[in-house]
Amino acid sequence: MLSLTRRRAALALAASLAACGRSGGADAPPPGSLAWAVAGPWRIEPERDQWRNPLQTLLFWGLEGDMTVLEVLPGRGWYTSILAPYVAANGGRLIAAGFDPRSPSLAQRETLAAWESRFTRDRELYGEIQRTVVRPGAPLAPPNSVDLAILANSVHTLMAEGIAEYVFRGVAAALKPGGAFGVEQHRAASTGLQDPVAGTGYVQEAYVKALAQEAGLDFVAASDLNANPRDTRDHPFGVWTLPPILRTSPLGRPDDPNFNSSPFENIGESDRMTLKFRKASGAAVAAPSDEPELRR
């Protein structure tokens, strides 16, 4: 792992990049650094950094270049475009646990195809990314092999599929003792009952903490890095009414040209929790053996 000196240098570099912006030239971050991976021209939608703060978020979760990292449901690869170059340049390993290519969901298959098209054709930049599938009965990664697991804005997807508990247990089984689990998720209000399928895309922070605790993971810390107090969470089409989706009609219906998205654009992206959990040193967490029925 990185020495304390190198960790302090990385934190200093993060502060410098945040202050100076995505500058180039003499101020460009050193090749192979995390800031270099964040600033790279290969990034997906770097304009979203103002809402998602990837450099600071990854440092909060404890990412280091020589780690084995598990990314659960990477989607089109917003975080993969940072993680893959960084660990490839530093002798680490990235495992991407993605959608099942046999999924009956066309949207999931298209998302997986977009990820594959981007990240499997440039091994010099992205390295050799190990592939697994988020599917009951399939391990996310070998037991006790992962230093850091990441689940970004996908807890609601797991809840909608009915496999959130199963996947959290799978993460715990994959982590090394002492390994960390970083979660970013659209944050629901703390009052009222949690919709078990998270139909609006928002999830209560206490619910995520309970999922982790039940999986055998200890809560470490929370950060407001990705908080947005302007987000009321009361939107006609759930969190997808906000950027970057800006949905104008219910899912599956044609866009409504008369819907005014300006108020939602002014809000910005959703209010998000940013949490860190850890597998206790010496903890033995068995891989989940039950196979819940997927919701479609």
Side-chain angles (χ1 to χ4, degrees):
M1 300 303 167
L2 292 178
S3 67
L4 182 59
T5 300
R6 290 176 65 194
R7 185 186 291 274
R8 286 172 177 163
L11 289 170
L13 187 56
S16 174
L17 188 66
C20 299
R22 299 174 64 84
S23 58
D27 295 328
S33 67
L34 181 55
W36 162 83
V38 169
W42 51 81
R43 286 287 312 284
I44 296 175
E45 298 175 342
E47 64 274 10
R48 298 182 65 193
D49 288 4
Q50 63 173 315
W51 303 109
R52 300 191 67 180
N53 304 291
L55 184 66
Q56 296 86 347
T57 299
L58 291 168
L59 289 172
F60 171 73
W61 286 334
L63 176 66
E64 298 176 2
D66 58 353
M67 284 180 164
T68 294
V69 179
L70 168 64
E71 186 180 10
V72 182
L73 292 185
R76 294 187 301 111
W78 195 86
Y79 259 120
T80 312
S81 68
I82 300 171
L83 296 169
Y86 179 55
V87 300
N90 289 278
R93 182 164 65 114
L94 178 60
I95 304 169
F99 287 125
D100 189 342
R102 300 177 299 177
S103 170
S105 166
L106 176 61
Q108 290 186 4
R109 296 198 308 273
E110 289 179 342
T111 298
L112 178 62
W115 187 95
E116 291 175 337
S117 177
R118 178 179 291 270
F119 295 107
T120 61
R121 299 178 182 179
D122 189 348
R123 294 182 180 176
E124 183 177 354
L125 174 61
Y126 297 122
E128 186 73 41
I129 303 174
Q130 183 178 338
R131 308 278 303 285
T132 60
V133 174
V134 176
R135 181 180 66 222
L140 301 176
N144 303 307
S145 67
V146 171
D147 297 291
L148 173 65
I150 291 171
L151 177 63
N153 294 334
S154 292
V155 176
H156 62 282
T157 302
L158 299 176
M159 293 170 65
E161 296 282 341
I163 58 173
E165 295 87 351
Y166 185 88
V167 170
F168 270 63
R169 292 199 303 272
V171 167
L175 287 173
K176 297 176 181 177
F181 182 29
V183 178
E184 177 190 1
Q185 175 60 37
H186 314 297
R187 176 165 47 195
S190 59
T191 57
L193 297 176
Q194 172 64 55
D195 173 9
V197 296
T200 64
Y202 289 95
V203 181
Q204 292 181 355
E205 192 167 313
Y207 191 89
V208 177
K209 290 178 178 177
L211 285 172
Q213 182 180 23
E214 291 169 3
L217 299 169
D218 297 329
F219 173 68
V220 176
S223 171
D224 279 333
L225 272 169
N226 301 307
N228 181 359
R230 296 199 300 270
D231 183 8
T232 64
R233 309 175 181 88
D234 183 19
H235 314 309
F237 314 117
V239 72
W240 304 280
T241 317
L242 298 176
I245 303 299
L246 292 174
R247 185 176 290 171
T248 62
S249 61
L251 181 65
R253 296 186 184 177
D255 291 340
D256 180 358
N258 298 315
F259 183 83
N260 182 13
S261 290
S262 296
F264 304 101
E265 290 185 271
N266 292 333
I267 291 171
E269 294 200 22
S270 67
D271 176 60
R272 296 187 178 106
M273 68 184 87
T274 305
L275 308 177
K276 182 177 181 178
F277 303 93
R278 190 175 302 282
K279 182 176 179 177
S281 297
V285 179
S289 56
D290 53 322
E291 298 192 10
E293 190 71 24
L294 295 181
R295 295 192 182 101
R296 299 298 182 191

